[in-house]
Amino acid sequence: MEASRSRQSVQLGQEGDRATDGCPTPCPDSGETGDPSKDQQVTAVGQRCNQATEKSLQTTTPTEGKVHRSILNLPVLNPERLKTAKALVDKAVKMHKIFSVQGPYPVVRAALRARGWVERRMPRPNQRVYRRRGDEYCEGTDTNDAEDNNPDDVEKEDDQDGMYDLMSRLVRNEMAYFYWTNRRETVDTRTLQKEQITNHFAKSGSFTTKVGLCVNLRNLRWFDSADPDTFFPRCYRLGAEDEKHAFIEDYRRTACTSLLQCIVERKQGVQGEEQSRGKDQSDQSQRKRCKRRAAALVPSKIIDSALKVCQEFLDSLEHNDIDISLKTPPTLTKEQWAEFINNYYLVVHDGAEIEDSVRFVDRCQAMLQRLREVSPQLDTDGIHNIWIIKPGAKSRGRGIMCAKRLGEILRLVHSDPALIKDSKWVVQKYLERPLLIYGTKFDVRQWFLVTSWNPLTVWFYMKCYLRFSTQPFSLDTLDSSVHLCNNSIQKHLRPSQLRHRGVPADNMWSCDQFRAFLSSQGRAAQWGTVVVPGMKMAVIHALQTAQDLMESRKNTFELYGADFMLGHDLRPWLIEINASPTMAPSTVVTAHLCTAVQEDTLRVVLDWRVDRTANTGGFQLIYKQAAVEVPQYVGVNLLVEGSRIKRPRPPPPPRLSNPPEARPVPPAPRRCAPIKDKEPLAEKTKPPPAKTFKTVVCQLNYPNIPLHVFLEEETPGIEALLRESPTLFPREAPRSIFALGGYSPEAL
């Protein structure tokens, strides 16, 4: 009997389930554990589904080029396996543990299934991405840093018996309570219910795009007593006309400071060469400099101009330029600036000498010392005045270029009118003096997690990794292979043979390897005292400036990836923040760290929110705003007061032919008793004996009430008088009550 039942069991597997969408009695609703009659029902239902599948395959018209699958090739569906799947699904539905994941995230799927969650497969997202209305700085998925965001990628998971796929079909009509996607547009947070969890906040483009980060950090002073110039290289939007002029001024001023640094460094370099080399070599280098000076010699007035511009900048910072008239001519005219920039190019880029520059060295050193106290980026600016140009909302290094000539930068930006119109081009000062490892440039990828925007709650991951360039660092070339460390760019390049062998072949280090390198340099303590605290504060400040622009939603979280560069003093400089950071296991380092980050994210989002003592892995809570206490309602009585709307008055008569000065002067006014506020005006006023004008009562205690309200209907002459001589009744008059019994208004 069991053998016959086994032969008559449902021959429906993973592909068979997909082919029975039109089955009148769906398989997920059949079968239960522990009842023989229900076992027969399961088998009968499975047979009906199988017959419908076989019929559909037989009646389908063959299509050229498609692989036809016979019903005999489908795996056998064991009723016991269906019962087990149904039991697990019922338990997950009862506990609200249905999840959906878009993209190949095997770590997230495995971690959720280990907690008893069941996946409901998400449909393929629409390839056309719409920009959400009101998202000021968001541009579709350009802020997405994930390189594994292809919806056609299928997860290669260990599902040999098709159990996961079967359970997914059983919950295909259930509501998902957890969404993990690498595209923000896949899930509309406005349609989610309160208990549904998603991994993306709306409008995060306010700080995950270059434009948003550039604009928002300027408002940091309103949120915290910190200077963004201490952790974020100065940045400008070239599409905005005012910021374009600000960038040109900054470029010129940087050229002046770079020139002063060049003069000082050349003097120090000459002294160092004389000390390290012999007399013959020193004389030889002196002859080479003489030949170069003869080829191109720049007049010394360029140093005077640079010192004047730097002094003017210091005066502006110290507010000493307040009394300067707007008609005062600028330090350098437009023509003088053009000449200065050309001479600057000759000195710095072409190696020309400045005549009699030795006598300016002391003045240059003194000025640089003063500038260093007010300009925290002076040490990293260098002398080449290199700027990095970025499309405002792109990631993974796309479209990024470096340039060092002003005209080249402006021409490059103006070459794309669409980006200019939308203010998408961002130009940022390039860090010309970064910390190098074995002569190679690198940057740091640091993760952090936001679980709430109100109050702002930030989790910092205690592990990070370094990404190296494939080429040795050099300012002689501005190629992206030298200056951009994005893995999406460097993975397509072959490491240079000139690069130091200490740099790994896969271009990545873990933070533990970097700490070992610092220890070998005698700087191990600076990792915990300079690097990590600096990255934490930069992340917090960036989020503080965007808090008012974010839509706070409960049961929402988001994982971000911040990119940092380190200076010679190990001070971290925030470069950008990416949404949906890549979790692809591209190297041994990322395979370990990315797995741990995803697992620890679920520990914070699912476990810690239920149990505050739960393990959060590598995440550390670094910032949480104090909750705002709402005052208790004590039953305040509300009272609305107003006045009756009166009928509109008829238009006044035409102006009097005789001026007010020709009218008889009335005697002195008589005072009336104070009028109570609550009594109607009609009951307060009594007309005096007939005179030239009727009595008018004017209450100046209420200056907001027009004067004509206190006039009686029988006195049009007073209204005409008020129109002709409005200055006779100034509102600055003492607040008291007067009775005008036909007398002169000057009595007021």
Side-chain angles (χ1 to χ4, degrees):
M1 183 65 181
E2 288 295 327
S4 62
R5 287 182 57 188
S6 175
R7 287 192 299 268
Q8 295 176 1
S9 61
V10 184
Q11 297 180 2
L12 188 62
Q14 182 174 357
E15 299 295 334
D17 281 342
R18 294 172 181 166
T20 58
D21 291 338
C23 182
T25 307
C27 296
D29 295 334
S30 63
E32 193 62 55
T33 58
D35 193 347
S37 62
K38 292 186 178 180
D39 291 344
Q40 297 178 1
Q41 295 177 5
V42 171
T43 306
V45 171
Q47 289 176 350
R48 290 196 297 270
C49 294
N50 190 16
Q51 293 172 2
T53 304
E54 184 176 4
K55 183 178 180 180
S56 64
L57 291 176
Q58 292 175 355
T59 57
T60 302
T61 302
T63 305
E64 184 178 358
K66 291 187 177 180
V67 178
H68 303 285
R69 189 181 299 274
S70 173
I71 194 67
L72 299 178
N73 297 330
L74 298 177
V76 177
L77 178 63
N78 191 341
E80 296 297 330
R81 185 164 57 91
L82 181 60
K83 297 175 188 178
T84 303
K86 189 65 167 59
L88 295 176
V89 166
D90 290 342
K91 182 178 180 181
V93 171
K94 183 178 180 180
M95 300 181 65
H96 293 179
K97 289 188 175 183
I98 309 299
F99 74 94
S100 292
V101 174
Q102 182 258 324
Y105 288 97
V107 176
V108 176
R109 286 185 169 94
L112 289 173
R113 287 166 179 163
R115 290 173 170 82
W117 290 70
V118 176
E119 180 179 9
R120 180 172 72 88
R121 306 284 187 184
M122 294 182 66
R124 290 184 179 181
N126 191 357
Q127 296 296 327
R128 188 174 181 180
V129 178
Y130 293 94
R131 177 178 175 178
R132 178 170 296 178
R133 190 174 183 180
D135 200 345
E136 183 176 1
Y137 299 113
C138 186
E139 190 181 275
T141 57
D142 284 340
T143 60
N144 193 333
D145 183 54
E147 300 178 43
D148 50 357
N149 56 0
N150 187 358
D152 296 331
D153 291 340
V154 180
E155 176 193 0
K156 297 180 180 180
E157 57 186 359
D158 186 13
D159 190 18
Q160 297 178 359
D161 56 355
M163 177 66 74
Y164 294 151
D165 187 76
L166 176 61
M167 295 171 66
S168 177
R169 289 186 54 81
L170 292 176
V171 298
R172 66 182 183 273
N173 296 325
E174 299 291 337
M175 182 178 68
Y177 290 91
F178 184 93
Y179 284 101
W180 182 294
T181 70
N182 54 14
R183 293 179 181 268
R184 183 176 294 104
E185 296 81 6
T186 304
V187 179
D188 188 357
T189 56
R190 295 172 295 183
T191 61
L192 295 179
Q193 298 186 12
K194 293 182 179 180
E195 61 269 23
Q196 290 180 287
I197 305 173
T198 182
N199 70 322
H200 285 295
F201 289 100
K203 297 184 179 180
S204 67
S206 57
F207 67 95
T208 58
T209 59
K210 283 90 173 171
V211 176
L213 193 62
C214 172
V215 173
N216 290 332
L217 281 178
R218 298 174 186 168
N219 302 322
L220 179 59
R221 63 177 61 91
W222 301 106
F223 300 90
D224 203 314
S225 58
D227 184 7
D229 288 342
T230 59
F231 64 88
F232 184 69
R234 53 194 187 277
C235 185
Y236 301 93
R237 295 178 301 161
L238 292 185
E241 196 65 24
D242 57 339
E243 296 193 29
K244 175 183 174 182
H245 292 302
F247 160 68
I248 295 175
E249 292 181 0
D250 195 337
Y251 182 91
R252 292 171 174 174
R253 184 172 59 250
T254 306
C256 295
T257 57
S258 300
L259 180 67
L260 301 184
Q261 293 190 76
C262 180
I263 295 172
V264 174
E265 290 179 5
R266 284 186 180 181
K267 178 63 176 178
Q268 294 175 350
V270 170
Q271 293 176 352
E273 290 179 0
E274 292 177 352
Q275 294 176 359
S276 60
R277 297 179 181 178
K279 185 177 184 300
D280 295 338
Q281 293 179 343
S282 178
D283 294 341
Q284 185 178 0
S285 62
Q286 182 69 24
R287 288 193 296 270
K288 290 182 179 180
R289 286 192 299 272
C290 292
K291 291 181 180 180
R292 188 168 53 185
R293 185 185 300 112
L297 190 63
V298 176
S300 60
K301 66 178 183 179
I302 186 177
I303 303 179
D304 287 327
S305 300
L307 291 172
K308 290 180 181 179
V309 172
C310 293
Q311 182 61 48
E312 182 181 5
F313 174 65
L314 290 174
D315 291 339
S316 64
L317 294 179
E318 298 173 358
H319 305 291
N320 295 330
D321 58 342
I322 297 178
D323 298 332
I324 298 178
S325 174
L326 296 177
K327 298 181 180 180
T328 303
T331 305
L332 297 178
T333 63
K334 185 176 181 180
E335 293 76 13
Q336 291 174 338
W337 269 120
E339 180 183 2
F340 176 87
I341 294 297
N342 289 331
N343 290 332
Y344 165 76
Y345 293 155
L346 292 175
V347 174
V348 176
H349 298 164
D350 300 335
E353 295 287 346
I354 304 176
E355 60 178 3
D356 200 16
S357 61
V358 179
R359 65 186 182 92
F360 291 94
V361 173
D362 293 338
R363 293 178 58 188
C364 294
Q365 286 180 333
M367 179 59 69
L368 290 174
Q369 183 61 31
R370 295 177 58 190
L371 290 171
R372 193 169 286 107
E373 297 175 357
V374 297
S375 179
Q377 299 183 19
L378 184 64
D379 291 334
T380 60
D381 280 347
I383 64 174
H384 293 272
N385 207 357
I386 300 175
W387 293 74
I388 185 167
I389 304 99
K390 309 176 182 179
K394 290 187 178 181
S395 61
R396 304 196 296 273
R398 294 173 294 176
I400 297 180
M401 292 161 286
C402 295
K404 57 185 178 182
R405 294 181 181 266
L406 180 60
E408 181 183 356
I409 297 174
L410 298 179
R411 284 194 303 270
L412 181 63
V413 173
H414 286 285
S415 62
D416 195 338
L419 292 177
I420 283 292
K421 181 180 179 181
D422 297 335
S423 299
K424 294 300 182 183
W425 276 112
V426 169
V427 59
Q428 190 173 33
K429 185 64 184 72
Y430 182 75
L431 302 181
E432 299 182 19
R433 293 173 176 174
L435 178 67
L436 302 178
I437 296 180
Y438 301 128
T440 307
K441 182 182 175 181
F442 69 95
D443 65 6
V444 180
R445 166 56 61 92
Q446 176 64 57
W447 293 288
F448 64 92
L449 178 68
V450 178
T451 55
S452 175
W453 284 96
N454 187 20
L456 180 59
T457 307
V458 186
W459 298 78
F460 187 86
Y461 204 68
M462 300 308 297
K463 298 289 185 178
C464 59
Y465 66 94
L466 278 63
R467 303 178 298 188
F468 288 91
S469 172
T470 56
Q471 312 299 319
F473 181 76
S474 174
L475 295 178
D476 296 333
T477 176
L478 300 181
D479 191 81
S480 59
S481 61
V482 177
H483 302 284
L484 299 183
C485 301
N486 303 68
N487 185 60
S488 57
I489 294 178
Q490 299 294 338
K491 69 180 181 180
H492 300 293
L493 302 175
R494 181 175 299 177
S496 173
Q497 296 181 354
L498 301 177
R499 195 176 66 167
H500 194 277
R501 295 182 179 180
V503 181
D506 56 4
N507 303 321
M508 286 192 185
W509 261 8
S510 66
C511 59
D512 295 331
Q513 292 173 297
F514 180 57
R515 295 177 66 179
F517 171 79
L518 292 179
S519 179
S520 65
Q521 304 292 320
R523 310 175 70 179
Q526 290 184 273
W527 171 260
T529 59
V530 179
V531 181
V532 173
M535 291 193 295
K536 289 181 179 179
M537 293 308 301
V539 167
I540 293 174
H541 292 329
L543 298 179
Q544 284 177 325
T545 58
Q547 185 177 6
D548 293 343
L549 305 175
M550 296 295 298
E551 290 185 0
S552 181
R553 179 188 177 274
K554 192 177 180 181
N555 290 330
T556 306
F557 68 97
E558 189 156 8
L559 181 68
Y560 301 98
D563 294 339
F564 289 92
M565 287 183 60
L566 303 182
H568 277 291
D569 55 355
L570 290 180
R571 176 190 297 181
W573 295 91
L574 177 63
I575 305 301
E576 63 182 8
I577 297 176
N578 296 282
S580 296
T582 177
M583 291 296 164
S586 55
T587 65
V588 177
V589 174
T590 55
H592 171 70
L593 288 179
C594 292
T595 299
V597 168
Q598 295 174 78
E599 293 176 347
D600 294 344
T601 299
L602 296 179
R603 287 190 177 99
V604 174
V605 175
L606 298 178
D607 302 341
W608 186 84
R609 66 195 300 264
V610 178
D611 181 11
R612 290 294 192 258
T613 62
N615 179 26
T616 58
F619 278 108
Q620 179 186 15
L621 182 62
I622 62 170
Y623 187 79
K624 185 174 182 180
Q625 287 180 332
V628 179
E629 296 184 2
V630 180
Q632 186 179 3
Y633 178 72
V634 293
V636 179
N637 294 327
L638 302 179
L639 178 64
V640 179
E641 294 183 345
S643 59
R644 180 172 58 89
I645 300 177
K646 296 185 177 182
R647 184 177 53 186
R649 298 181 58 81
R655 295 183 58 180
L656 302 178
S657 59
N658 54 335
E661 291 80 2
R663 299 178 184 178
V665 180
R670 295 176 297 176
R671 294 185 175 273
C672 298
I675 302 176
K676 298 181 179 179
D677 295 344
K678 300 299 182 180
E679 296 180 1
L681 296 177
E683 300 177 4
K684 302 177 189 177
T685 58
K686 294 183 180 180
K691 294 184 180 180
T692 306
F693 302 109
K694 296 291 184 179
T695 302
V696 179
V697 178
C698 176
Q699 184 176 359
L700 295 181
N701 286 327
Y702 302 93
N704 294 329
I705 301 178
L707 190 60
H708 66 80
V709 174
F710 301 95
L711 302 178
E712 293 187 354
E713 298 181 359
E714 297 83 8
T715 58
I718 282 293
E719 294 183 8
L721 180 61
L722 293 177
R723 287 195 306 274
E724 293 179 356
S725 304
T727 58
L728 299 178
F729 295 88
R731 293 200 179 271
E732 300 83 9
R735 294 186 176 183
S736 58
I737 301 174
F738 297 94
L740 305 182
Y743 303 111
S744 173
E746 285 84 349
L748 290 176

